[in-house]
Amino acid sequence: MALDGCGQLCKCILILFNILFALVGFAMLGLGLWLRFSSETRGFFDIDLNTQQFVIGVSVLIALGAVILLVAVFGDYGACNENRTALGVFSCLLAILAGLEIGAGVFAYMRSDEVGEQLAKFYITVYAQYVDKGDPGLTLGTFHSIRLHCCGLIGALDPLVKRTCPDTGFLETFTLPACPTVIVNLFESKAPLVMGLFLGTAAMLITALVCCSILMKQIKRSHLSFRIMSVLQYISMYC
């Protein structure tokens, strides 16, 4: 069906948006599956330790990646084929995701201290598994790879995590703080940024939702015009 310039623009925006959305979904789903089944992280699901935060986080990552892929499929199919039913489902799913993004951003900001404490507890869990298995890669790969510049549960004096402490000078080594404290302080200081990222993502989803609504109206108008023209042509043939 023929669409005007605004409808064509919204159609192109939705197609590009859903391609990017699908790539994000693939990345999240792939990362979640890797964390779930990788030999380096599989122990978090098998060993009897307090790894609830990690398990829930990975499960949410897998589920969210799958949902994003589903949303992208409905959006691309609806935009490419100008299917109002698929676009309607896409709009509903997009509105739910936007609401969840806003809620998660506000929650992360309002409860930044609690979220930071949960992350610190997760570090303690990783530390406990390191002690149990004697594999320094568990703590090194999880936290020091993002340059937290900390060491163990009580700082540089903790002999159990000596191999996982960052490489620093001799005197600076004795000033390294404990990782749980650094994690809590870091999340509390970055809480506005985290909320901004969530709200920015929600704004993008709302923009796509507006484009979807405009496209649906354009498709409805185009279908109506096509039916009117068909009726007029039929009448002209027999009159």
Side-chain angles (χ1 to χ4, degrees):
M1 302 296 176
L3 299 174
D4 60 16
C6 183
Q8 291 291 347
L9 178 62
C10 289
K11 181 177 179 178
C12 293
I13 290 175
L14 282 179
I15 292 174
L16 293 176
F17 171 82
N18 284 292
I19 290 174
L20 294 176
F21 215 43
L23 293 176
V24 172
F26 270 121
M28 294 178 66
L29 183 61
L31 177 61
L33 292 175
W34 178 79
L35 290 173
R36 176 63 181 87
F37 297 105
S38 171
S39 59
E40 298 178 3
T41 56
R42 192 181 304 163
F44 291 116
F45 296 87
D46 300 331
I47 194 168
D48 187 18
L49 288 174
N50 182 26
T51 54
Q52 183 179 6
Q53 295 87 357
F54 181 81
V55 173
I56 292 176
V58 172
S59 301
V60 170
L61 190 64
I62 294 174
L64 188 58
V67 170
I68 288 176
L69 279 177
L70 181 64
V71 173
V73 168
F74 275 109
D76 263 334
Y77 176 80
C80 292
N81 295 279
E82 299 181 8
N83 188 301
R84 293 181 62 208
T85 302
L87 288 175
V89 175
F90 172 73
S91 297
C92 292
L93 295 175
L94 210 59
I96 294 173
L97 285 178
L100 291 176
E101 288 281 347
I102 295 173
V106 173
F107 177 82
Y109 180 77
M110 298 296 293
R111 302 293 184 89
S112 59
D113 53 342
E114 295 182 14
V115 177
E117 289 175 1
Q118 290 298 319
L119 292 175
K121 289 180 181 179
F122 173 59
Y123 175 84
I124 296 173
T125 300
V126 176
Y127 177 90
Q129 183 156 330
Y130 158 62
V131 173
D132 182 77
K133 289 190 172 183
D135 181 7
L138 288 171
T139 49
L140 180 64
T142 304
F143 290 98
H144 295 293
S145 60
I146 58 176
R147 302 182 184 277
L148 289 178
H149 204 66
C150 61
C151 186
L153 296 183
I154 58 175
L157 297 179
D158 191 335
L160 291 175
V161 291
K162 184 177 179 181
R163 293 175 57 191
T164 65
C165 296
D167 295 329
T168 58
F170 178 75
L171 295 178
E172 188 180 356
T173 301
F174 293 97
T175 64
L176 289 174
C179 286
T181 303
V182 173
I183 293 169
V184 172
N185 294 336
L186 178 65
F187 195 87
E188 288 182 355
S189 63
K190 300 296 183 182
L193 177 61
V194 173
M195 184 178 68
L197 290 175
F198 275 108
L199 295 182
T201 304
M204 293 178 59
L205 296 179
I206 292 173
T207 301
L209 186 60
V210 171
C211 287
C212 183
S213 299
I214 294 174
L215 181 59
M216 289 175 65
K217 290 181 180 180
Q218 292 286 331
I219 292 172
K220 181 179 180 180
R221 184 182 304 172
S222 178
H223 285 182
L224 183 60
S225 299
F226 178 77
R227 290 176 182 175
I228 292 174
M229 291 297 298
S230 299
V231 171
L232 292 176
Q233 289 179 359
Y234 179 81
I235 292 174
S236 62
M237 289 176 60
Y238 293 95
C239 292

